[in-house]
Amino acid sequence: MDWDKLRIFHAVADAGSLTHAGEKLNLSQSAVSRQIRGLEEQLNTNLFHRHARGLILTEQGELLFDATSAMTKRVDAASARIRDSEEEVFGELRVTTTTGFGTLWLAPRMSKLYEKYPDLKVDLMLEERVLDLPMREADVAIRLKEPSQADLVRKRLMTVRMCLYASPEYLATRGTPERLEDLSNHRLICQNTDSDQVGAGLSLIQQLMLYDIKSLLTVNNYFGVLQGVLHHLGIGVLPDYLIQDFPDLVQVLPDVESADVPVFLAYPEELRQSKRVAAFKDFVQEEIIAYRKQLKER
């Protein structure tokens, strides 16, 4: 099949409109339409259902779109590797991690990366869903478990534990619990047990719920839990990595904590020589070293 026709088909399928695809490709609507008709004649099938509001892929169109999407991602990967052969670190780097780690630990430190590489463009994708790195949904991932996908370069960065924290103001007003049974007299702030979270954190929350906690605030991410703690609403279940940036928080019941949660950095094997990936990896490792040093001092 003609690559130009496939490229135009992919743009139309992605845009859902001949006009919008033409604008993106700098082609007239009629030129785009001719290429689509030619491809449909070549394949002897209809690729789109046409209606007044736009175009919808047929079953055969969906199959072809899956193929052109994979081809596009491979071409993007090749382009990235070619760009990475240059001397300087520049261009886009797509990084994925969880909402909690991304907002509470990674994003506040990004200024140091940009100071060193001002031409780098980082697309930070914060979500609990595990993106497919080999299929180039992202270039680099920081995950709170060891990646299971094959063909990934992976490095263990650090270990995290979920602990109990409160503000000094809250404890001054409500008192400091000395044993787990005392939590029944306090408000617990944590993630909802139905929300996406690491298994160790969920296990700790389920353990705490056994102690007849009457007042509860649940949030679907750690950023929300932290805001509740900072505003003196109660005792929060939070990852210990945030203590570096919020040293005034008080750890409550220090012996109560989750199991270890490993943090891994991973990227596709084909990006092993990428200067952008190497720059980001070095930045994260330097910050981890500083974090460990401060944690040891505490």
Side-chain angles (χ1 to χ4, degrees):
M1 283 180 280
D2 188 309
W3 171 246
D4 280 339
K5 287 187 175 66
L6 291 175
R7 180 175 62 89
I8 292 171
F9 160 78
H10 184 81
V12 173
D14 190 48
S17 162
L18 295 173
T19 302
H20 291 158
E23 292 172 353
K24 185 176 181 180
L25 297 169
N26 293 319
L27 295 173
S28 66
Q29 179 179 338
S30 59
V32 173
S33 180
R34 282 196 302 272
Q35 293 293 329
I36 296 299
R37 280 201 307 272
L39 185 59
E40 288 179 325
E41 290 171 1
Q42 184 179 356
L43 295 173
N44 194 31
T45 189
N46 290 324
L47 299 173
F48 295 97
H49 294 298
R50 293 162 172 82
H51 60 84
R53 290 174 293 176
L55 302 174
I56 299 176
L57 287 166
T58 62
E59 183 178 352
Q60 292 79 7
E62 290 280 4
L63 289 172
L64 188 59
F65 185 59
D66 287 343
T68 57
S69 296
M71 292 164 66
T72 299
K73 288 174 181 176
R74 299 297 293 182
V75 170
D76 288 343
S79 298
R81 293 189 64 181
I82 291 170
R83 289 196 302 271
D84 283 331
S85 67
E86 301 291 335
E87 289 294 326
E88 298 180 2
V89 176
F90 70 98
E92 184 180 59
L93 182 70
R94 295 170 298 167
V95 178
T96 179
T97 189
T98 62
T99 303
F101 193 85
T103 55
L104 299 178
W105 193 90
L106 183 58
R109 291 164 171 79
M110 293 292 288
S111 62
K112 296 179 182 178
L113 179 66
Y114 283 115
E115 285 173 8
K116 196 170 183 180
Y117 304 108
D119 295 328
L120 193 61
K121 300 175 182 176
V122 178
D123 180 10
L124 194 55
M125 296 175 281
L126 305 181
E127 53 183 296
E128 309 311 311
R129 182 173 68 93
V130 176
L131 299 186
D132 192 329
L133 297 184
M135 288 301 294
R136 297 308 307 278
E137 289 186 328
D139 300 314
V140 184
I142 298 179
R143 295 177 177 167
L144 273 67
K145 64 179 180 179
E146 184 168 6
S148 59
Q149 293 170 297
D151 300 325
L152 292 181
V153 180
R154 64 203 70 195
K155 179 175 179 58
R156 185 164 178 159
L157 297 174
M158 63 180 182
T159 298
V160 171
R161 291 178 182 175
M162 307 303 161
C163 304
L164 298 175
Y165 296 99
S167 68
E169 292 85 349
Y170 173 83
L171 296 176
T173 302
R174 300 290 299 272
T176 301
E178 297 181 358
R179 53 182 187 157
L180 278 168
E181 288 79 4
D182 295 339
L183 290 177
S184 61
N185 299 317
H186 291 268
R187 181 176 300 110
L188 184 68
I189 310 173
C190 61
Q191 288 206 53
N192 189 296
T193 54
D194 294 329
S195 64
D196 291 328
Q197 59 183 303
V198 294
L202 176 61
S203 296
L204 176 59
I205 292 170
Q206 290 173 334
Q207 176 191 347
L208 297 175
M209 293 298 185
L210 299 175
Y211 288 89
D212 190 29
I213 296 174
K214 300 179 179 62
S215 185
L216 187 67
L217 171 63
T218 59
V219 190
N220 66 347
N221 60 65
Y222 287 124
F223 181 75
V225 175
L226 175 63
Q227 291 303 306
V229 172
L230 292 176
H231 288 81
H232 325 306
L233 290 177
I235 299 172
V237 179
L238 288 164
D240 59 4
Y241 58 70
L242 57 79
I243 283 303
Q244 183 179 10
D245 297 326
F246 299 93
D248 292 337
L249 292 184
V250 179
Q251 186 173 354
V252 176
L253 299 172
D255 293 335
V256 178
E257 57 186 17
S258 75
D260 289 348
V261 179
V263 181
F264 283 85
L265 183 143
Y267 52 91
E269 177 69 37
E270 63 191 31
L271 293 180
R272 183 183 286 273
Q273 303 303 321
S274 167
K275 287 183 173 60
R276 287 172 298 159
V277 171
F280 181 78
K281 180 178 67 173
D282 291 345
F283 149 73
V284 171
Q285 288 178 318
E286 289 170 4
E287 291 301 312
I288 292 290
I289 291 171
Y291 162 77
R292 285 175 176 164
K293 182 179 179 181
Q294 186 174 19
L295 201 62
K296 188 176 181 179
E297 291 173 352
R298 285 177 62 89

